[in-house]
Amino acid sequence: MAMTRHAEPGSARGWPFAASGALAAALLLGIAEIASALFSPVSSPLVAVGAAFIDITPAWLKDFAIDVFGTADKLVLMVSMGVVALALAAVLGLIARRRLALASVLCAAIAVLPGAAVLSRPATGLLDLLPTVLGGVCGIAALNWLVRLAHRRTVLAGAGPSPRIVEGGAAPDAGPEAARRTFLIGAGLTAVVAVAALVGGRALSAVSTAAVATRDALRLPGARRTAAQLPQGVGSPAPGMPPFVTPNGDFYRIDTALAVPRIDPSTWELRVHGLVEEEFTLSFTELLELDLQESWVTLTCVSNPVGGDLAGNAKWLGYPLQDLLARARPQEGADMVLSTSADGFSASTPLEVLTDGRDALLAVGMNGEPLPLEHGFPVRMVVPGLYGYVSATKWVVDLEVTRFEDKTAYWTDRGWSERGPIKLASRIDVPRGFEAVPAGGMVLGGTAWSQTIGIDRVQVQVDDGAWQDATLAAEATVDTWRQWSLDWEGEPGNHKARVRAVNRDGEVQTSDRADTVPDGASGWHEVQFSVE
């Protein structure tokens, strides 16, 4: 008895081709990623396209991403780009079903875009295109192979041949089940290689670099001026409070670098130039030979919402920027220092802030060890009292003394304010929002900051009652946050608490709500919780 073949419906016939396109794109990205890890992290097409996207991102979208995703914003961006790339590649696969040559040409043409993105990044050249080219060749080869396997499977399933593919010798020579199995094996093999290459590339980029080994082996010199020992009682006694000193691994990270710059300290140089009497460059060895000092400084991101956790406190080791600029001797009329990172980011810092005696540092150490790579190794800026987007340049390689009227910086070009002083702020850390706490006495706790001025009082209001003065923890310096606590006992049920701070200048934290754009959020932090 003869077997009757039943043609597959159109949607069923199309999926192998869409899958072929998506898998070919995954292989392209994976091969390019592992090649860039072995060659140069900045040559990754996925990273380059993401960085280019960040460059053109409007301020409101960047702020939205940080509000929603926090420090996972970069991961979300990378995943989103991958999903979009796979979707577009699936469309290419459907085109390849009828026009394989055309789809291959389109694939090559599309590869030009990440290539252009790679070349648009700072410190890249033609050799940095090699990972993109290698990935593109592998992707196009995989597309051709998988599409031919998909055609063989489709023909044997009874859907009819595609003459542009089959006439070249791809006519079926086996049964439909064997053809289906061959396609699935080919697709699975491509997927395994793509995933392994992508995961391996990201892992290599994270750990297998000379910069990691150099940092691990680096021993920083002792400070000529050490930070004062922290006084007893700098931490709030409220259970569940974050530590007064933020561990390096927990310190928030907000920057524009999708791939952390890997800088060999032996090749690092800082150029100081512009409206100065003496231009000079400084090597890392020369920097370590200067009179370094330690300072406790709290850093805050301008994207930190009311009550947010984009703030951290650490002990920094570095050379005073005031002394560095004194050597350069800024000219009359200069009012800004434009700092530039190895990855092209720039920040505009008021010159007066860097020369008014505060502990603004060209930092090399963080909490007793060299800077972590993601926090600016080998050298970054730390400036008390200013949001990071105008002061805390990581991987810094250039300081230009200039004028605000002559130069602009990365985020000021995108609608943020020029100077960025940190606003007086406070938050409730415990209880957390919508937390259920047991009946009986409890201790509310939180953190407040008014850098370069200091916190004088913190007041808490529970259930719209009278404002109560909280107990302040000991103060380390005026440049760090200050923790607080309040004993409270309430009846079972739902409750709310809000907090405000008063600094030593008598300024009361405003209740007026403001968004983070253009110069930082404001308003009283409020939490709702329940007593059970």
Side-chain angles (χ1 to χ4, degrees):
M1 179 181 295
M3 295 181 62
T4 303
R5 293 187 302 180
H6 299 282
E8 294 178 321
S11 59
R13 295 197 304 270
W15 78 262
F17 299 96
S20 297
L23 289 170
L27 184 67
L28 184 158
L29 294 174
I31 295 298
E33 195 64 33
I34 197 167
S36 67
L38 297 171
F39 183 69
S40 170
V42 297
S43 63
S44 164
L46 194 59
V47 168
V49 171
F53 177 80
I54 290 175
D55 285 349
I56 63 174
T57 298
W60 66 266
L61 182 56
K62 174 255 187 189
D63 202 51
F64 171 79
I66 293 177
D67 285 346
V68 175
F69 304 113
T71 54
D73 58 338
K74 294 179 178 63
L75 176 61
V76 172
L77 174 60
M78 297 289 277
V79 171
S80 300
M81 289 193 306
V83 170
V84 171
L86 293 181
L88 293 175
V91 174
L92 272 182
L94 293 175
I95 295 174
R97 178 184 177 188
R98 298 294 183 187
R99 297 287 188 272
L100 180 55
L102 174 61
S104 298
V105 171
L106 290 174
C107 185
I110 292 173
V112 172
L113 296 178
V118 169
L119 291 179
S120 73
R121 310 318 302 160
T124 57
L126 291 177
L127 286 178
D128 293 298
L129 291 176
L130 288 177
T132 302
V133 172
L134 181 59
V137 170
C138 292
I140 292 173
L143 178 66
N144 278 263
W145 179 51
L146 291 173
V147 165
R148 291 180 185 279
L149 292 181
H151 267 291
R152 180 172 297 180
R153 175 194 178 281
T154 304
V155 167
L156 289 177
S162 174
R164 293 181 182 270
I165 300 297
V166 176
E167 67 185 9
D173 56 5
E177 184 60 29
R180 184 184 71 85
R181 187 165 53 250
T182 300
F183 173 77
L184 292 178
I185 291 173
L189 179 62
T190 304
V192 168
V193 174
V195 171
L198 188 60
V199 173
R202 297 308 298 167
L204 284 173
S205 294
V207 300
S208 297
T209 66
V212 174
T214 301
R215 180 198 176 273
D216 292 343
L218 181 63
R219 296 295 178 266
L220 296 175
R224 299 290 179 89
R225 195 182 99 190
T226 58
Q229 290 293 319
L230 292 177
Q232 292 292 323
V234 292
S236 168
M241 280 288 293
F244 177 79
V245 180
T246 308
N248 291 357
D250 296 336
F251 210 94
Y252 78 95
R253 179 196 165 197
I254 298 292
D255 52 54
T256 62
L258 284 180
V260 175
R262 264 57 172 174
I263 301 172
D264 184 348
S266 66
T267 64
W268 177 87
E269 282 189 339
L270 177 71
R271 182 188 178 206
V272 181
H273 63 109
L275 299 178
V276 296
E277 297 298 330
E278 179 186 348
E279 295 189 359
F280 60 90
T281 59
L282 186 71
S283 71
F284 190 68
T285 299
E286 291 171 333
L287 175 58
L288 295 188
E289 291 174 348
L290 298 175
D291 292 342
L292 304 183
Q293 73 173 57
E294 291 177 333
S295 298
W296 292 101
V297 178
T298 295
L299 298 185
T300 307
C301 180
V302 72
S303 296
N304 195 40
V306 172
D309 60 358
L310 299 181
N313 184 49
K315 181 170 68 174
W316 307 92
L317 172 69
Y319 184 65
L321 281 160
Q322 176 168 289
D323 295 347
L324 189 78
L325 291 169
R327 173 181 170 183
R329 303 194 307 279
Q331 296 173 1
E332 185 176 353
D335 62 3
M336 185 258 277
V337 174
L338 184 70
S339 55
T340 304
S341 163
D343 71 339
F345 172 83
S346 59
S348 56
T349 309
L351 178 61
E352 62 184 289
V353 170
L354 300 178
T355 56
D356 66 0
R358 72 183 70 189
D359 287 343
L361 299 177
L362 194 61
V364 297
M366 180 179 182
N367 287 332
E369 62 182 64
L371 293 170
L373 266 65
E374 63 271 19
H375 290 295
F377 180 82
V379 184
R380 67 169 296 165
M381 289 173 59
V382 172
V383 182
L386 295 184
Y387 288 119
Y389 81 104
V390 294
S391 67
T393 303
K394 303 175 184 177
W395 316 290
V396 62
V397 293
D398 189 278
L399 296 180
E400 180 183 4
V401 178
T402 182
R403 290 185 287 257
F404 279 105
E405 65 182 29
D406 296 334
K407 294 291 180 72
T408 56
Y410 187 93
W411 284 117
T412 52
D413 286 338
R414 290 158 176 79
W416 298 78
S417 65
E418 287 183 333
R419 298 174 184 267
I422 295 175
K423 295 180 179 179
L424 171 61
S426 59
R427 72 184 186 204
I428 299 172
D429 291 307
V430 291
R432 292 168 177 80
F434 305 104
E435 182 179 358
V437 299
M442 66 171 296
V443 183
L444 285 75
T447 311
W449 53 85
S450 182
Q451 289 158 295
T452 73
I453 300 172
I455 293 295
D456 183 64
R457 284 181 293 156
V458 170
Q459 297 179 317
V460 181
Q461 183 186 56
V462 182
D463 296 332
D464 296 318
W467 287 97
Q468 305 175 62
D469 286 333
T471 300
L472 291 177
E475 181 182 72
T477 76
V478 295
D479 292 332
T480 65
W481 58 23
R482 195 166 185 184
Q483 297 190 338
W484 57 267
S485 60
L486 178 72
D487 294 329
W488 178 80
E489 185 170 350
E491 298 294 327
N494 295 323
H495 300 274
K496 65 180 179 180
R498 61 173 60 100
V499 63
R500 69 184 183 189
V502 182
N503 68 18
R504 288 216 175 89
D505 285 346
E507 178 189 359
V508 181
Q509 182 182 343
T510 181
S511 62
D512 295 339
R513 301 287 294 195
D515 197 3
T516 55
V517 181
D519 59 358
S522 68
W524 294 339
H525 184 215
E526 179 178 304
V527 297
Q528 299 186 36
F529 62 99
S530 61
V531 174
E532 298 179 342

